[in-house]
Amino acid sequence: AVAVKSAVLKAERSGQSAAESWLRNIFWLQASPDDTAPPVLCLVYADDGPLSDLLKETWLAQAVLGRGPVEVDDARGNYPDLRAAIGELPSWLYWSCGTFEPRDLTAIGIGSNVKKRKAAVKLALALAGAAALDPWELDNLSRAGQLGQVAGSFCQAACHARKARATRPERGIPRSVMEVVADATAGVGSGTGVSRSRSSPLPGVAAAPPSPRENDNTALAEVKLRQGSLVGQWRVLSKPNRRPSPPALPCSGIAEDMFFSRLESWLKARGVDKLIRRDPTGDRPDEESEVVDSHWRCYELVKQPLVEVGAPTESGGTWALAFHGTWWYALWLILSSGVLLESKDLDSGHEFWCPGVYCTSSLSTAREYARAQNVFGDGLYHRVALEVRYNTMRVKRDRARGGHQLVLPWQAVSISRVLFLPNAPPRKGEERLDEWSAEMEAIPARGQVTAPSCQPPPWEAECVCQFDPVPP
């Protein structure tokens, strides 16, 4: 009850201009040209933040509105006024209309697929009903336990909806929602994966010059398009299937000489040598290796990172150091785009317990997720990880279990260095890739491998390591 009262007071004291950014997803739309019909509450689906937590609680509509069917019409054929008011949304985005007849309520849910639109409609109806209640009635709902653990966020959203309706409903998609749409849904579900630019704005929104945020969303959309379902294919190929662990080359010096000569060719063939450069000051010992003097070899980024980094925690800022283990197949696309794609799409092969980019403060943990691969076809397995900076103020989850895992939105993670670990074969039960397949690599737009680079050069043919395990 105290949390609810605090949330109510907070929302009551703040106007829309001071509302938290996640509340911009909620707005009223006046569809009737002559204002004869009441405004309709609209809600844009969000994948993270407080609104995402509310969207998961599909029972909120019944808790607030009482018993009765919630009807969702995804055909959008019977609402000409709403269609005209909403106008043309980006090609990957659609709206659904929901009604709750016992209370004569109508609401709009906006999302990239039917499931998201239905969740948005149900929450919008619940908020529309709650917006008609007095604060003490919301407090009574919370005291009765009907709002569960999301009582504070729900009451804050309901009070925001009540104040927004009392000011002035929108005649079209409001300007502030354009950024929300770009952040939450850019590239999702479209054939091209390209977000609407500001030179082609949403209805009723004046055109504006391109912004860094828009460039970020374009990069995100391209990464989603280029990576597609490759992650799922990598996982299938990398299953250990009781395969024995290949041995490491005992002499780390020889292994590293072989690695660096072939890595240089691999980087040049992709133009990645122009994106990173060797930085021995960032080398780190590999504490998990059985090979003497095994180190992570560091390369720093040459170009400006896509995600701008604030002041580091070492100097009193909020950006801390972390690591992210990755696939060799993904490295070219990651470095060219600057984007670490969030794990949140099961259909694309992602594995996650919370949607977001996974990082860790432990390089040993990152090593486990840096899948060992026989990249150059010489029998030696190598790993790759990224050194990143992340915004501590935007951490979604912080879990000590599993080697300390941090989950963040992609906009809160900035790549600073690449760490290569030569001569690091998979252990028993670890995922591994025993060869290089050009078809499996995530290639950037206009990317082209200029020469074969994953086979040992002829003068090193005698250095190829042979490993022919006996099937179990």
Side-chain angles (χ1 to χ4, degrees):
V2 173
V4 172
K5 289 180 179 178
S6 175
V8 169
L9 289 173
K10 179 179 180 181
E12 290 287 0
R13 291 170 183 170
S14 62
Q16 186 162 346
S17 61
E20 294 190 25
S21 60
W22 66 275
L23 295 176
R24 293 183 299 170
N25 293 58
I26 306 165
F27 61 96
W28 292 90
L29 186 68
Q30 179 55 263
S32 175
D34 53 4
D35 295 348
T36 55
V40 177
L41 187 65
C42 301
L43 190 146
V44 181
Y45 188 92
D47 284 317
D48 55 19
L51 189 58
S52 175
D53 295 333
L54 292 175
L55 286 162
K56 296 173 185 176
E57 311 300 340
T58 56
W59 47 267
L60 281 170
Q62 183 175 345
V64 176
L65 304 176
R67 293 186 177 274
V70 173
E71 302 292 340
V72 180
D73 181 4
D74 199 54
R76 304 174 291 277
N78 300 322
Y79 308 95
D81 289 343
L82 283 174
R83 181 182 295 276
I86 293 174
E88 181 187 357
L89 289 170
S91 59
W92 64 87
L93 206 59
Y94 303 93
W95 59 275
S96 297
C97 185
T99 56
F100 185 76
E101 290 188 1
R103 297 275 293 273
D104 195 23
L105 293 174
T106 302
I108 295 293
I110 300 174
S112 59
N113 58 47
V114 175
K115 182 178 179 181
K116 291 181 178 180
R117 291 193 291 275
K118 286 184 177 180
V121 163
K122 290 181 179 179
L123 180 57
L125 287 169
L127 290 172
L133 301 177
D134 291 326
W136 65 267
E137 292 180 287
L138 280 177
D139 186 49
N140 286 343
L141 283 176
S142 176
R143 288 176 182 274
Q146 292 181 258
L147 300 180
Q149 298 297 318
V150 294
S153 297
F154 182 84
C155 290
Q156 188 176 355
C159 292
H160 163 77
R162 182 168 64 249
K163 289 184 71 69
R165 180 172 181 173
T167 52
R168 183 177 63 85
E170 303 289 344
R171 289 290 181 181
I173 303 293
R175 180 184 296 272
S176 61
V177 175
M178 185 166 67
E179 287 84 4
V180 174
V181 170
D183 277 348
T185 58
V188 179
S190 70
T192 62
V194 180
S195 63
R196 176 183 291 270
S197 69
R198 295 197 181 199
S199 61
S200 176
L202 296 175
V205 180
S211 67
R213 167 177 289 177
E214 204 162 85
N215 294 334
D216 292 357
N217 287 322
T218 301
L220 175 64
E222 181 174 317
V223 170
K224 289 180 178 179
L225 177 66
R226 307 301 299 184
Q227 184 168 297
S229 60
L230 285 173
V231 176
Q233 300 178 58
W234 301 339
R235 290 194 180 280
V236 171
L237 292 173
S238 66
K239 288 183 179 180
N241 293 330
R242 299 173 59 189
R243 285 178 288 175
S245 300
L249 198 64
C251 180
S252 61
I254 295 176
E256 289 199 358
D257 288 343
M258 295 169 61
F259 171 75
F260 278 119
S261 66
R262 295 168 187 179
L263 177 65
E264 183 178 356
S265 299
W266 190 93
L267 297 175
K268 285 183 176 179
R270 292 157 177 77
V272 179
D273 60 319
K274 297 179 177 62
L275 305 178
I276 60 175
R277 65 185 170 206
R278 183 79 172 96
D279 179 19
T281 62
D283 289 354
R284 298 172 177 271
D286 177 26
E287 300 177 354
E288 303 297 320
S289 177
E290 299 177 357
V291 178
V292 178
D293 198 31
S294 177
H295 283 75
W296 292 88
R297 300 306 182 184
C298 177
Y299 284 70
E300 65 177 355
L301 259 66
V302 176
K303 68 174 186 177
Q304 184 74 14
L306 180 69
V307 178
E308 186 177 352
V309 179
T313 52
E314 296 88 338
S315 58
T318 61
W319 288 78
L321 177 69
F323 305 96
H324 174 87
T326 189
W327 306 80
W328 276 88
Y329 280 142
L331 186 60
W332 187 7
L333 183 59
I334 290 174
L335 295 180
S336 64
S337 66
V339 173
L340 279 174
L341 197 60
E342 295 182 10
S343 296
K344 60 181 182 181
D345 187 351
L346 293 174
D347 293 336
S348 296
H350 299 174
E351 290 185 354
F352 57 94
W353 49 268
C354 173
V357 175
Y358 282 70
C359 301
T360 176
S361 60
S362 168
L363 188 52
S364 297
T365 301
R367 188 187 198 275
E368 298 176 10
Y369 293 93
R371 278 72 173 191
Q373 183 167 3
N374 180 13
V375 182
F376 308 122
D378 55 7
L380 294 181
Y381 288 74
H382 313 295
R383 303 177 190 241
V384 62
L386 303 171
E387 184 178 306
V388 303
R389 287 279 173 174
Y390 71 94
N391 190 344
T392 57
M393 303 301 293
R394 299 195 64 185
V395 175
K396 297 169 64 176
R397 297 288 188 275
D398 185 341
R399 189 169 79 173
R401 183 161 50 92
H404 189 209
Q405 295 181 338
L406 301 160
V407 187
L408 301 111
W410 73 272
Q411 302 95 329
V413 183
S414 180
I415 304 168
S416 55
R417 288 171 167 173
V418 185
L419 300 175
F420 295 101
L421 183 60
N423 194 25
R427 295 171 177 170
K428 183 178 180 180
E430 278 191 329
E431 292 179 316
R432 84 283 304 274
L433 290 160
D434 293 326
E435 61 182 3
W436 182 270
S437 174
E439 294 76 16
M440 289 291 103
E441 187 173 16
I443 300 177
R446 299 178 297 278
Q448 184 176 0
V449 180
T450 57
S453 59
C454 290
Q455 298 297 328
W459 62 85
E460 290 186 353
E462 66 275 10
C463 296
V464 174
C465 300
Q466 299 296 330
F467 178 63
D468 298 310
V470 179

